[in-house]
Amino acid sequence: MRTTTNRGLQPNVLGTFDTIVMAVAGSAPAYSLAATTAVLFGAVGLAGPASLLYCAIPMLGIVLAYARLGRIDVNAGAGYSWVGRTLHPFLGFLSGWALVFAATVFMVAGSLPAGSLTLSLFDPDLAENTPLAAAVGAGWFLMMLLVVLGGARLTVRAQLVMSGLEMLILLVFVLAAVAHRGRATAFDWSWFALDHFDGAGTFAAGALIAAFYYWGWDVTSNLSEETRNSRRTAGLAALVGVGFVFLLFEAFTVAVNVLLSAEEIRAAGPNVLAVLGQEIWPGVGGKLLVVAVLLSTVATLETTLLQVTRSLFAMGRDRTLPASLGLVHRRWNTPWVAIATVGGAALLMFCAAAAAGSVQRILSDAVAAIGLQIAFYYGLAGIAAVVAYKSVLFRSVRNLLLGGLWPLLGSAFMLWAFVESISVLSTTAVTIGLGGLFLGVVPLLVYWRKGSDYYSPARLDAVRALEAAEGSAPATRPRTGTRDKSYATDF
């Protein structure tokens, strides 16, 4: 755990409940639904529930891969470390770079709707003013940047408030949608079948968009160095978080299909939840769901900042990027240089977004581009888990299924979606997605030639790692009779 100042991140800050909240907030249920439902409908029509279902199955394979890798290598870089130590350091670096690039693009893709939604609460006409939305969104972004800079404890407390209110509003509207009598389309179980897809390309495009819905749960792995009992907690929290948001995504996507017409969905764009809320509860419902989306957007900005800054911290620590990124603030134990770097890059992108056209168009291209990056680094992580556990896969059916076949299925699905969707995405989305990935080759070659130790790794093997972990664990756990107040939100 070497840093450039011999100071690490603060351990044992997050408990189990905290980490589950982070996993749910990372996937940003309300934001993902608002930003992506119209995009998904435009790609696959009424088959949105099917896309979410068929992406969830392999996504759980990736969750299992992360959980198993997290048991044998606790590292803020997560996939960056795991892929580098199992497959190849070059692939590991590009895996980490993909997350960093995707998260930085998301700073704009997430902040623009936050600005637009804030303006819509006061004047709906202002919401379409892209420069003004970019300015307000930048304000939200800077606020979250300061919260993340203030340390993991402050971050968790802010997250509990924002995500708690968001979940309460969403659950109320799920129940209200079930009780609602009006409908634009009759419910059809075929929405969960493969019949609605117009070929492999359409299915892959839907899968890539669905991957964006779920993306963010892996923040639990990036926070592993700051989590209590993280070898168990990070994976468990990710599994619970993905299961919970899957149910929410399906419920709202079905509600949109039933209660709104195709014309209403296309016209609503990123405001689709506001339109749905107005349909369910005229006068008040639209505003309440706008508040939920705003809370979700700000909350996921926070978790995304945690992901990208912890990844950059790990890269700086390993000297695969400038070593200053591994600096930790003396008081707050946060990677302050990485945070400042992300803030500066995102603000430059805000300036570009302010002159780039409508919020809806920016969102559509950004979601697709980020989806390519997600599919790439999730796919590599699935393979890394199989390689790391290869010596124990055939010891039991459970090991073979959960540690081999399912993660391998998830990996194959993600990489297939990555390749297949390139031909159907817009030129802008492909340019951003692939161009951002290839951009990482430059620092890779520079720091490889400088001789970073990362490029001569100790191979990651599950048997040796678990034996080492058991050998270093204390034989008994001391009982003090009192509970540490720093874990007040733990189970």
Side-chain angles (χ1 to χ4, degrees):
M1 300 299 179
R2 175 176 51 81
T3 73
T4 54
T5 59
N6 293 320
R7 290 177 58 85
L9 301 170
Q10 186 173 0
N12 298 329
V13 176
L14 306 179
T16 305
F17 183 72
D18 304 327
T19 314
I20 291 173
V21 170
M22 286 295 185
V24 173
S27 294
Y31 167 79
S32 297
L33 287 162
T36 321
T37 297
V39 179
L40 183 62
F41 186 86
V44 300
L46 294 171
S51 288
L52 291 167
L53 172 62
Y54 296 121
C55 185
I57 295 170
M59 184 64 76
L60 285 173
I62 303 302
V63 175
L64 289 171
Y66 266 71
R68 291 170 73 82
L69 288 165
R71 285 185 62 200
I72 57 177
D73 183 20
V74 176
N75 193 293
Y80 154 80
S81 172
W82 304 331
V83 174
R85 293 182 62 191
T86 53
L87 304 183
H88 195 280
F90 285 6
L91 290 175
F93 179 85
L94 290 177
S95 177
W97 180 266
L99 188 154
V100 168
F101 187 85
T104 306
V105 171
F106 181 78
M107 295 300 106
V108 176
S111 299
L112 274 178
S116 182
L117 289 165
T118 304
L119 293 171
S120 71
L121 290 173
F122 301 98
D123 186 347
D125 294 332
L126 291 176
E128 297 302 317
N129 187 325
T130 304
L132 187 57
V136 176
W140 280 115
F141 170 75
L142 288 172
M143 186 183 301
M144 287 302 99
L145 198 74
L146 292 175
V147 171
V148 170
L149 181 63
R153 287 192 204 281
L154 176 61
T155 302
V156 168
R157 289 167 183 164
Q159 195 62 250
L160 289 171
V161 173
M162 292 185 292
S163 294
L165 288 173
E166 175 199 353
M167 292 305 109
L168 179 62
I169 295 172
L170 289 180
L171 291 174
V172 166
F173 272 89
V174 167
L175 297 176
V178 172
H180 191 71
R181 295 184 178 181
R183 62 177 59 186
T185 308
F187 172 78
D188 193 335
W189 283 106
S190 70
W191 295 343
F192 294 90
L194 296 171
D195 303 346
H196 279 280
F197 296 106
D198 298 327
T202 303
F203 181 82
L208 207 63
I209 295 167
F212 178 82
Y213 273 82
Y214 296 112
W215 177 53
W217 55 264
D218 47 315
V219 66
T220 61
S221 296
N222 295 107
L223 290 169
S224 60
E225 293 183 28
E226 300 159 89
T227 303
R228 182 188 187 190
N229 191 21
S230 65
R231 294 182 189 277
R232 169 188 173 274
T233 303
L236 173 65
L239 191 62
V240 173
V242 170
F244 181 76
V245 298
F246 165 73
L247 296 176
L248 275 179
F249 290 152
E250 288 288 16
F252 271 92
T253 304
V254 169
V256 168
N257 279 2
V258 170
L259 300 179
L260 302 180
S261 67
E263 292 74 19
E264 286 175 316
I265 296 171
R266 292 190 185 97
N271 295 318
V272 67
L273 278 196
V275 175
L276 177 67
Q278 191 66 22
E279 174 67 27
I280 294 173
W281 190 354
V284 179
K287 293 288 186 182
L288 277 176
L289 279 182
V290 166
V291 171
V293 175
L294 180 58
L295 288 169
S296 179
T297 306
V298 175
T300 199
L301 279 177
E302 182 185 85
T303 58
T304 307
L305 276 167
L306 287 170
Q307 272 196 286
V308 67
T309 54
R310 268 50 180 182
S311 296
L312 287 173
F313 164 78
M315 291 173 159
R317 179 173 62 189
D318 292 339
R319 290 173 171 79
T320 55
L321 284 179
S324 59
L325 294 171
L327 290 171
V328 175
H329 194 279
R330 186 173 298 278
R331 177 180 177 186
W332 297 318
N333 287 100
T334 52
W336 67 273
V337 176
I339 293 171
T341 300
V342 172
L347 289 176
L348 288 175
M349 294 175 69
F350 278 118
C351 296
S358 71
V359 172
Q360 185 170 353
R361 181 176 178 181
I362 294 170
L363 272 179
S364 179
D365 289 334
V367 165
I370 291 171
L372 284 172
Q373 307 277 346
I374 296 167
F376 177 78
Y377 82 81
Y378 277 175
L380 290 178
I383 298 173
V386 176
V387 172
Y389 280 84
K390 63 182 183 297
S391 58
V392 299
L393 290 182
F394 294 98
R395 291 184 181 179
S396 69
V397 174
R398 182 176 180 272
N399 270 346
L400 182 61
L401 175 62
L402 300 183
L405 297 181
W406 206 342
L408 204 58
L409 168 67
S411 175
F413 183 86
M414 292 297 167
L415 295 177
W416 172 81
F418 175 87
V419 173
E420 190 71 27
S421 60
I422 290 174
S423 61
V424 298
L425 295 179
S426 70
T427 303
T428 303
V430 172
T431 301
I432 295 173
L434 295 185
L437 194 58
F438 288 130
L439 189 63
V441 174
V442 177
L444 185 158
L445 294 176
V446 169
Y447 286 91
W448 171 61
R449 289 179 63 85
K450 286 185 177 181
S452 167
D453 291 342
Y454 174 82
Y455 293 107
S456 302
R459 302 296 293 176
L460 187 59
D461 178 79
V463 173
R464 290 198 301 268
L466 290 173
E467 287 175 352
E470 290 172 3
S472 63
T476 59
R477 183 176 177 179
R479 299 180 62 88
T480 61
T482 60
R483 187 177 181 183
D484 189 337
K485 293 182 180 180
S486 64
Y487 310 132
T489 57
D490 197 7
F491 283 134

